[in-house]
Amino acid sequence: VTANDATGQPIPGVPVVLAVPGTGNSIAQPGITDSRGQAVGSFSSSIAEQKVVSAKAGGIQLAATRTVNIIATQADPSTTTASVPKGHSFRTTVILIQTRDAFGNPLHTGGAAGSLAVQIKGTNPGTGQVTDNQNGTYTAIYFALFRGTDTISITLNGVPIKGSPYTSTVR
């Protein structure tokens, strides 16, 4: 934030306060302007969404705001989830995996298919075939021949995802 007077000259010593509405935000307030009339603050957020940053200088709300898009980062196994349905013999079982970042924000881009592994143990042992849907979700399929119980272990970078292993009862 830069504080200038009506003639464009810097104003030192003006207290500046940043505001970012919403949840998951952490703001490092800038304090007061320096001899150049400038004060620098920052913010971070654990919520992936669009944020609007505003400021007050000397208690006056500044008209200028900045919009920042917070984007979910890399997939984290501790928050990535899957939906594993009951299976049916002689049919394909479809598992949906939703990748999420460390804060639980869903990812909206693909690229992690090679990092996901689906292992089936139990009545229908094998490996699930993972397909990247290019939107942060992945589909894993396996063909169940026999009735019984399958245990599905899903890992991301070798680490079990949240809720893994899952159980699928094949009818």
Side-chain angles (χ1 to χ4, degrees), residues 7-20:
T7 65
Q9 296 300 309
I11 307 172
V14 176
V16 176
V17 177
L18 298 178
V20 184

Side-chain angles (χ1 to χ4, degrees), residues 99 110-118 130-134 137-139 155-156:
T99 53
S115 303
L116 287 164
V118 179
V130 178
T131 301
D132 189 338
N133 298 325
Q134 299 297 314
T137 67
Y138 298 81
T139 304
T155 59
L156 175 63

Side-chain angles (χ1 to χ4, degrees), residues 31-55:
I32 61 170
T33 57
D34 60 17
S35 61
R36 298 170 299 170
Q38 297 179 344
V40 177
S42 64
F43 90 98
S44 63
S45 183
S46 60
I47 305 297
E49 64 184 5
Q50 193 172 71
K51 304 284 186 170
V52 177
V53 182
S54 63

Side-chain angles (χ1 to χ4, degrees), residues 84-95 118-129 141-153 166-171:
V84 179
K86 293 180 180 178
H88 296 281
S89 59
F90 295 101
R91 292 192 186 152
T92 299
T93 300
V94 180
I95 299 164
V118 179
Q119 296 294 320
I120 298 95
K121 294 182 180 177
T123 309
N124 300 285
T127 303
Q129 178 184 351
I141 60 170
Y142 79 98
F143 193 79
L145 287 175
F146 307 106
R147 292 175 185 224
T149 302
D150 291 330
T151 301
I152 292 88
S153 296
Y166 298 87
T167 302
S168 178
T169 304
V170 179
R171 298 179 182 182

Side-chain angles (χ1 to χ4, degrees), residues 57-85:
I60 299 170
Q61 183 68 46
L62 303 179
T65 61
R66 293 292 181 257
T67 300
V68 178
N69 287 316
I70 305 298
I71 300 171
T73 57
Q74 67 187 46
D76 186 301
S78 69
T79 58
T80 292
T81 57
S83 174
V84 179

